[in-house]
Amino acid sequence: MREVAIPEAPVTVATEVRFAETDQMGVVHHSGYIIWFEMGRVAWMKAAGMPYTEVADSGHHFAVTAIHAAYRASSRFGDTIQIITRLAQLRSRQVEFSYEVRNAADQTVLATGSSEHICVDLVGKMTKIPLPIYERLLDGALRVAAANSNTVS
Amino acid sequence: MREVAIPEAPVTVATEVRFAETDQMGVVHHSGYIIWFEMGRVAWMKAAGMPYTEVADSGHHFAVTAIHAAYRASSRFGDTIQIITRLAQLRSRQVEFSYEVRNAADQTVLATGSSEHICVDLVGKMTKIPLPIYERLLDGALRVAAANSNTVS
Amino acid sequence: MREVAIPEAPVTVATEVRFAETDQMGVVHHSGYIIWFEMGRVAWMKAAGMPYTEVADSGHHFAVTAIHAAYRASSRFGDTIQIITRLAQLRSRQVEFSYEVRNAADQTVLATGSSEHICVDLVGKMTKIPLPIYERLLDGALRVAAANSNTVS
Amino acid sequence: MREVAIPEAPVTVATEVRFAETDQMGVVHHSGYIIWFEMGRVAWMKAAGMPYTEVADSGHHFAVTAIHAAYRASSRFGDTIQIITRLAQLRSRQVEFSYEVRNAADQTVLATGSSEHICVDLVGKMTKIPLPIYERLLDGALRVAAANSNTVS
């Protein structure tokens, strides 16, 4: 397995801000973005043809080992936001995704971030990413990158 | 197994309102109380000598089949609240708890409610409450009731 | 202002179950449905032409005074669910919505419920629903009902 | 205002893991730790004599500009966890806190992290930390550090 980064393959998913996601500052609580990042990588994996549900069904999980988030602007109830996700790194035992959250209406960048994951089995023990999962992620990333490239050109 | 209600056995647990639990109205979001109810019944079961962790470890869960909540006053970040939980009903296949949420400082009732549960096994199939669990709940309720009675008298 | 119920005006919104919404039973935590109900009434109000954002911008809120939920079946990460919302009651000072949550794939009813609301101003004091808001809700409900009726016939 | 770091002033707060905080992996969802970090800094500020409620009441907020979290081990429903919080940096316009989350029973480090904050006013505009708040934070940090030093020696 090679160590690869395929930043050319962003996948975008949109969602409406839920009232319950706001806090008394009148904006979305910062923990909400961490859940949006998760929605982003779930959407990325689905678009890449390796849905996370199938990873879970195979008895594996991509446990989160690190989260980084930088908050630049607020989002509010009523806003539609976009989560743009990229596969930042794919190794034999680790995956890293990067994220950009934008206001859909004016494309303001609200937050950027990344998440690092290791592969664990059902009892939480660290394992190699099973080869079929690794390959489907890699193939999917290349296919998404190609599709994006076609769209742009 | 008898059908029993032991309302004389309230158990109180206190918690500080988390900033993340507020919404843009400046008060705790109504979904937060549903999670407080859960904290209440977890505390009740612990006090009764039948911790929910042991129910789960035995391969069972008390799946929620109904929730009722009436909201009377708001709680805010910085408040300490109390959750007062009672075993409202214990049957061979069902458990019901009732709740009162109070502001700890002035004892204002913020919300009342109840939750109904059936016993399910690990694959989610409805089962009788295992006899040892049923008996420990019943004995615990009686012991909590007796302890409260002693405290009051 | 009349007291009206317009159950003929359901509005449906769909969402994908988030991984973060699951609990250790492997299904969506029951508190998640309370937030889905909220998404349902937000969608209903938007479809009816009286978006909740405008209620909030006018300095009012529909504070929740009661929640009832009955849970019939589980939902899981990866499922798409539908929230079908109806205006169950509209009075001068109160609104009530009812909900049905379905699995989008097979139309299984996962949960039903309702929420009751009073109108409050910015400092949380109960007020009449401002007439323009009341009328837009009523007109919207009738328009949604008519649209549904056209769709069905 | 000086730029100061007072790592000698940790404040510890403990909490029991809520069932609702778990996910289908059977452990606490990683977003839960972000909310625990918040509980940690709220506890730190309270112990330092500058409760966050008073910052909010003065019309200011410490908006989160960055979050970093490294996850080392899991926590489960039933666990009691400790959040150990330090003031990592205090500047005229910024505050940084660092965190350690431990399992209370065996002192395993579950996660470490930090949060960066700017001071904003009620409309979300960045401002200097008001001098009285800055000074109370600084004095509090020194007092907590002194108290800890006395405890250890």
Side-chain angles (χ1 to χ4, degrees):
Chain A
M1 299 186 204
R2 292 164 292 159
E3 176 179 323
V4 289
I6 305 157
E8 307 79 11
V11 168
T12 299
V13 65
T15 193
E16 277 183 55
V17 171
R18 300 175 175 186
F19 191 88
E21 291 173 327
T22 62
D23 66 24
Q24 71 176 61
M25 289 177 66
V27 299
V28 174
H29 190 263
H30 61 286
S31 64
Y33 291 75
I34 308 302
I35 292 170
W36 290 347
F37 290 173
E38 183 176 80
M39 288 176 66
R41 65 183 170 270
V42 165
W44 190 95
M45 291 181 72
K46 198 172 186 181
M50 177 68 264
Y52 190 72
T53 45
E54 291 186 32
V55 174
D57 289 348
S58 82
H60 295 84
H61 274 294
F62 287 169
V64 178
T65 52
I67 285 281
H68 304 283
Y71 302 88
R72 301 197 194 172
S74 299
S75 52
R76 291 168 188 279
F77 171 64
D79 291 348
T80 298
I81 59 99
Q82 292 174 333
I83 310 148
I84 302 150
T85 305
R86 288 175 168 81
L87 182 70
Q89 193 80 236
L90 178 62
R91 300 184 192 180
S92 60
R93 293 169 176 280
Q94 285 179 288
V95 195
E96 186 180 334
F97 292 97
S98 68
Y99 312 95
E100 218 177 67
V101 179
R102 289 176 178 267
N103 183 308
D106 62 11
Q107 290 295 305
T108 312
V109 177
L110 307 174
T112 56
S114 63
S115 64
E116 298 166 27
H117 306 260
I118 53 168
C119 189
V120 296
D121 61 20
L122 277 190
V123 295
K125 202 174 145 275
M126 190 169 133
T127 64
K128 277 201 176 182
I129 299 171
L131 194 58
I133 293 177
Y134 179 94
E135 286 178 342
R136 284 171 67 188
L137 281 174
L138 183 55
D139 290 351
L142 297 172
R143 207 170 50 243
V144 174
N148 286 336
S149 153
N150 290 342
T151 309
V152 172
S153 63
Chain B
M1 298 185 203
R2 291 165 293 159
E3 177 179 322
V4 290
I6 304 159
E8 308 79 13
V11 168
T12 299
V13 64
T15 193
E16 277 183 56
V17 171
R18 299 174 175 187
F19 192 88
E21 290 173 327
T22 62
D23 66 24
Q24 72 177 60
M25 290 177 64
V27 298
V28 173
H29 190 264
H30 61 285
S31 64
Y33 291 76
I34 309 302
I35 292 170
W36 290 348
F37 289 173
E38 182 176 82
M39 289 176 65
R41 64 181 172 271
V42 165
W44 191 94
M45 290 182 72
K46 198 174 186 180
M50 177 69 263
Y52 190 72
T53 45
E54 291 186 33
V55 175
D57 289 349
S58 81
H60 295 85
H61 274 294
F62 286 169
V64 178
T65 53
I67 285 282
H68 304 283
Y71 302 87
R72 301 196 194 172
S74 299
S75 52
R76 291 170 187 281
F77 170 63
D79 291 347
T80 298
I81 58 99
Q82 292 173 333
I83 309 148
I84 302 151
T85 305
R86 289 174 167 82
L87 182 70
Q89 193 79 238
L90 178 62
R91 300 184 192 179
S92 59
R93 292 170 176 281
Q94 285 178 288
V95 196
E96 186 180 336
F97 291 97
S98 68
Y99 312 95
E100 219 177 68
V101 178
R102 288 176 179 269
N103 183 308
D106 62 12
Q107 290 297 303
T108 311
V109 176
L110 306 174
T112 57
S114 63
S115 64
E116 298 166 27
H117 307 260
I118 53 168
C119 189
V120 297
D121 62 20
L122 277 189
V123 294
K125 203 174 144 276
M126 191 169 131
T127 63
K128 278 201 175 182
I129 299 172
L131 193 58
I133 292 177
Y134 179 93
E135 286 178 342
R136 285 171 67 187
L137 281 175
L138 183 55
D139 290 351
L142 296 173
R143 206 170 52 243
V144 173
N148 286 338
S149 152
N150 290 344
T151 310
V152 172
S153 63
Chain C
M1 298 185 204
R2 291 164 292 159
E3 176 179 323
V4 289
I6 304 158
E8 308 78 13
V11 168
T12 299
V13 63
T15 193
E16 277 184 55
V17 171
R18 300 174 173 185
F19 192 87
E21 291 173 326
T22 62
D23 66 25
Q24 72 177 62
M25 288 178 65
V27 299
V28 173
H29 190 264
H30 62 284
S31 64
Y33 291 75
I34 309 302
I35 292 170
W36 290 348
F37 290 173
E38 183 175 81
M39 289 176 66
R41 66 181 170 271
V42 165
W44 190 94
M45 292 181 70
K46 198 174 187 180
M50 177 67 264
Y52 190 72
T53 45
E54 291 185 32
V55 175
D57 288 348
S58 81
H60 295 86
H61 274 293
F62 287 169
V64 179
T65 53
I67 285 283
H68 303 281
Y71 302 88
R72 301 196 193 172
S74 299
S75 53
R76 291 167 188 282
F77 170 64
D79 291 348
T80 297
I81 59 99
Q82 291 174 334
I83 309 149
I84 302 150
T85 304
R86 288 174 168 83
L87 183 70
Q89 193 80 237
L90 178 63
R91 300 184 191 180
S92 60
R93 293 170 176 280
Q94 285 178 287
V95 196
E96 185 180 336
F97 292 97
S98 68
Y99 312 94
E100 218 177 67
V101 179
R102 289 177 179 267
N103 182 309
D106 62 12
Q107 289 296 303
T108 310
V109 176
L110 307 174
T112 57
S114 63
S115 64
E116 297 166 28
H117 307 260
I118 53 169
C119 189
V120 296
D121 62 19
L122 276 189
V123 294
K125 202 174 145 277
M126 190 168 130
T127 65
K128 277 200 177 183
I129 299 172
L131 194 57
I133 293 177
Y134 179 93
E135 286 177 343
R136 284 171 68 188
L137 281 175
L138 183 56
D139 290 349
L142 296 173
R143 206 171 50 243
V144 174
N148 287 337
S149 151
N150 291 342
T151 310
V152 172
S153 61
Chain D
M1 300 186 203
R2 291 164 292 160
E3 176 180 324
V4 289
I6 305 157
E8 308 79 13
V11 168
T12 299
V13 64
T15 193
E16 278 183 55
V17 171
R18 300 175 175 186
F19 191 87
E21 291 173 327
T22 62
D23 66 24
Q24 70 177 61
M25 289 177 66
V27 299
V28 174
H29 190 263
H30 61 285
S31 64
Y33 292 75
I34 308 303
I35 292 170
W36 290 349
F37 289 174
E38 183 176 81
M39 289 176 65
R41 65 182 171 270
V42 165
W44 190 94
M45 291 181 70
K46 198 173 186 180
M50 177 68 263
Y52 190 71
T53 46
E54 292 185 32
V55 175
D57 288 348
S58 81
H60 295 85
H61 275 293
F62 287 169
V64 178
T65 52
I67 285 283
H68 304 283
Y71 302 88
R72 301 196 194 173
S74 299
S75 52
R76 290 169 188 279
F77 171 63
D79 291 349
T80 298
I81 60 98
Q82 292 173 334
I83 310 148
I84 302 150
T85 304
R86 289 174 167 82
L87 182 70
Q89 193 80 236
L90 178 62
R91 301 184 191 180
S92 60
R93 293 169 176 279
Q94 285 179 287
V95 195
E96 186 181 335
F97 291 97
S98 68
Y99 311 95
E100 217 178 69
V101 179
R102 289 176 179 267
N103 182 309
D106 62 12
Q107 290 296 304
T108 312
V109 176
L110 306 174
T112 58
S114 63
S115 63
E116 298 166 27
H117 307 260
I118 54 168
C119 190
V120 296
D121 62 20
L122 277 190
V123 294
K125 204 175 142 276
M126 191 168 130
T127 64
K128 277 200 177 184
I129 299 171
L131 194 58
I133 293 177
Y134 179 93
E135 286 178 343
R136 284 171 68 188
L137 281 175
L138 183 55
D139 290 350
L142 296 172
R143 206 170 52 245
V144 173
N148 286 337
S149 151
N150 290 343
T151 310
V152 172
S153 64

